[in-house]
């Protein structure tokens, strides 16, 4: 190619690009940092599905900007989290971070988001610190704090009259904090947590601990597990013969998105969560129908949280007309909003965490059926948050 011809082509390309940009603002780059492998793989997929479904419902635009995705598999591995998030911010230049499932990974993400001022919405991980000690005006959550379902279940189990409870979970922030929330309410209600058992994440060797539970003979057991680990735990609990003798209660992740695989071993379990199957509201019905049609799958709490992360991003972006540098206006819009979630409407606290009803649910067949509202408009205390 001659030099002149090359210059002409290059000039034409610049003209075309600037004509396009005069019509439409640049695409908004969304960095999806989620687990696509390991025990939480299906959770990451459900979050992405929900997020994409909301964006598609808005004609692939939020706040007037077309959405472009960059994805990374965080493997639920905290040791890789800082590198992964830095790549999204520095190499891929994302405008917003959406992630993740695992609390340890989410805390590493939040640290970088806070240091760089990058907008971040957490679509699952409950790490209390994200909307507590590590809180920041640019970090929001569409899901829950680990404290919330745990606290609600502590009240339920105390009201049932159980006195002596053993807890069992993975030894990392989510498990520890879920148990802490449970214990706070349960002991306030007159009960006592007599033993706190754990295995390292993501181990699923439960046998020795199940033997210990049988020997301890508590009135009940409280648990936090999720994803593949939750499937295995519920099956092992039943196989050890404990389901008949010691009632098992949990944060709702123990039976959410897992019922197909758990089968009859999950039947009857009582859990607390900010979502349930068959809520029966028009909002939830239309969400469930659309999700099932799009993905040939039933939605779960993770799909709802992904969908609502996109809704929250849309609310903020609309208020700032797509300009993510207007952080204060973005946050103000979310603090004023009532988010029209399939779970039921919720608001965002001054710590940037959902204020929401926590449902008591019971497994019936392939559904987590709504029993009652365990805790109305429960707000995380945001301990340690200074903004
Ligand atoms: C978490 O690590 O915060 C976590 C993971 C999976 C869940 C819930 C919480 O289902």
């Amino acid at each position: 190619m001659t030099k002149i011809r090359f210059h002409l082509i290059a000039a034409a390309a610049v003209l075309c690009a600037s004509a396009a940009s005069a019509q439409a603002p640049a695409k908004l780059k969304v960095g999806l940092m989620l687990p696509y492998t390991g025990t939480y793989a299906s959770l990451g997929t459900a979050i992405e599905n929900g997020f994409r479904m909301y964006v598609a419902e808005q004609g692939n635009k939020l706040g007037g900007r077309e959405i472009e995705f960059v994805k990374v598999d965080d493997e639920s591995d905290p040791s890789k989290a800082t590198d992964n998030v830095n790549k999204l911010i520095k190499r891929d230049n994302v405008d917003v971070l959406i992630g993740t499932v695992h609390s340890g990974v989410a805390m590493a993400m939040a640290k970088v988001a806070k240091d760089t001022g990058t907008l971040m919405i957490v679509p699952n991980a409950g790490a209390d610190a994200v909307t507590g000690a590590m809180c920041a005006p640019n970090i929001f959550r569409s899901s829950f704090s680990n404290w919330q379902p745990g606290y609600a279940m502590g009240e339920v189990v105390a009201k049932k009259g159980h006195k002596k409870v053993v807890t069992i979970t993975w030894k990392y922030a989510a498990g520890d904090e879920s148990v802490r929330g449970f214990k706070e309410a349960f002991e306030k209600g007159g009960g006592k947590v007599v033993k706190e058992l754990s295995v390292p994440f993501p181990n699923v060797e439960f046998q020795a601990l199940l033997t210990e539970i049988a020997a301890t003979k508590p009135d009940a057991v409280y648990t936090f597990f999720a994803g593949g680990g939750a499937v295995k735990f519920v099956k092992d609990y039943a196989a050890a013969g404990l389901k008949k003798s010691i009632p098992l209660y949990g944060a709702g992740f123990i039976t959410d998105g897992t019922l197909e695989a758990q089968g009859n071993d999950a039947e009857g379990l009582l859990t607390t969560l900010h979502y349930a199957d068959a809520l029966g509201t028009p909002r939830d019905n239309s969400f469930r129908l659309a999700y099932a049609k799009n993905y040939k799958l039933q939605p779960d709490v993770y799909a709802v949280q992904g969908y609502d992360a996109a809704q929250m991003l849309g609310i903020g972006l609309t208020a700032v007309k797509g300009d993510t540098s207007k952080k204060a206006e973005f946050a103000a819009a979310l603090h004023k909003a009532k988010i029209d979630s399939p779970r039921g409407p919720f608001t965002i606290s001054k710590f940037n965490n959902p204020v929401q009803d926590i449902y008591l649910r019971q497994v019936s067949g392939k559904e987590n059926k709504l029993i009652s509202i365990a805790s109305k408009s429960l707000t995380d205390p945001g301990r340690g948050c200074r903004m």
Side-chain angles (χ1 to χ4, degrees):
M1 196 189 301
T2 67
K3 229 171 168 184
I4 289 177
R5 241 172 99 202
F6 176 80
H7 282 305
L8 279 175
I9 291 168
V14 168
L15 273 177
C16 285
S18 61
S21 69
Q23 284 161 7
K27 286 185 179 174
L28 185 95
K29 262 197 181 178
V30 172
L32 292 177
M33 185 160 152
L34 293 167
Y36 294 104
T37 51
T39 199
Y40 290 159
S42 63
L43 289 60
T45 302
I47 289 167
E48 179 176 351
N49 287 347
F51 195 97
R52 284 185 185 271
M53 189 168 105
Y54 183 78
V55 171
E57 285 173 6
Q58 307 309 306
N60 296 317
K61 279 188 184 172
L62 297 179
R65 290 178 70 177
E66 248 182 84
I67 303 295
E68 178 183 342
F69 292 99
V70 187
K71 282 170 58 166
V72 59
D73 176 7
D74 67 38
E75 304 168 51
S76 296
D77 185 346
S79 75
K80 297 182 182 162
T82 303
D83 277 354
N84 279 331
V85 73
N86 274 325
K87 267 186 224 149
L88 284 174
I89 294 174
K90 297 191 178 130
R91 183 193 64 191
D92 301 324
N93 288 311
V94 299
D95 297 293
V96 54
L97 284 169
I98 303 294
T100 186
V101 168
H102 182 287
S103 273
V105 178
M107 284 191 280
M109 291 177 76
K111 170 146 195 347
V112 179
K114 186 170 180 162
D115 290 349
T116 57
T118 310
L119 193 56
M120 172 170 170
I121 304 177
V122 181
N124 181 70
D128 291 344
V130 166
T131 54
M134 301 176 74
C135 73
N138 54 310
I139 302 176
F140 301 87
R141 184 147 51 193
S142 67
S143 51
F144 61 92
S145 72
N146 289 320
W147 180 89
Q148 283 177 310
Y151 189 87
M153 189 47 109
E155 291 187 326
V156 169
V157 175
K159 274 189 208 129
K160 284 193 179 290
H162 296 305
K163 294 291 176 217
K164 216 176 93 174
V165 163
V166 171
T167 63
I168 178 164
T169 187
W170 273 315
K171 186 81 211 138
Y172 82 105
D176 292 344
E177 293 170 358
S178 183
V179 165
R180 209 178 300 149
F182 172 82
K183 189 171 167 178
E184 186 183 332
F186 181 57
E187 297 199 339
K188 213 188 279 173
K192 179 91 191 125
V193 170
V194 294
K195 215 172 245 182
E196 298 183 26
L197 303 174
S198 61
V199 290
F201 177 87
N203 283 15
V204 289
E205 300 310 319
F206 302 124
Q207 212 47 54
L209 298 183
L210 293 173
T211 305
E212 195 171 341
I213 290 172
T216 309
K217 297 194 176 60
D219 300 336
V221 168
Y222 173 77
T223 191
F224 166 90
F225 288 107
V231 172
K232 172 91 169 22
F233 182 76
V234 164
K235 295 192 86 57
D236 286 5
Y237 196 83
L242 292 174
K243 189 168 178 233
K244 302 190 293 290
S245 50
I246 307 172
L248 177 65
Y249 299 94
F253 314 107
I254 191 77
T255 56
D256 227 275
T258 55
L259 291 176
E260 286 291 337
Q262 287 163 333
N264 203 41
D265 291 339
E267 186 68 22
L269 292 184
L270 286 167
T271 65
T272 42
L273 205 63
H274 47 289
Y275 190 55
D277 299 315
L279 285 172
T281 57
R283 181 71 180 98
D284 189 45
N285 289 348
S286 64
F287 166 77
R288 294 185 74 92
L289 204 65
Y291 192 91
K293 201 169 140 213
N294 277 312
Y295 301 111
K296 314 284 176 267
L297 268 176
Q298 287 305 310
D300 53 22
V301 69
Y302 309 105
V304 171
Q305 294 169 168
Y307 187 83
D308 291 341
Q311 290 210 66
M312 287 170 61
L313 181 59
I315 289 166
L317 284 175
T318 301
V320 299
K321 302 195 171 57
D323 181 351
T324 50
S325 70
K326 295 188 171 157
K327 302 247 163 57
E329 289 100 317
F330 187 100
L334 281 174
H335 292 148
K336 277 203 310 261
K338 191 185 239 184
I339 290 123
D340 187 19
S341 171
R343 76 187 82 171
F346 70 90
T347 57
I348 300 293
S349 75
K350 61 175 190 259
F351 312 117
N352 295 344
N353 192 61
V355 177
Q356 56 193 342
D357 294 348
I358 307 291
Y359 303 113
L360 177 65
R361 314 108 45 88
Q362 183 163 38
V363 175
S364 169
K366 295 287 182 279
E367 289 192 330
N368 287 286
K369 285 245 160 76
L370 172 65
I371 300 291
S372 61
I373 294 177
S375 201
K376 183 91 198 137
S377 302
L378 187 63
T379 182
D380 181 275
R383 290 174 183 137
C385 174
R386 313 245 173 293
M387 274 204 260

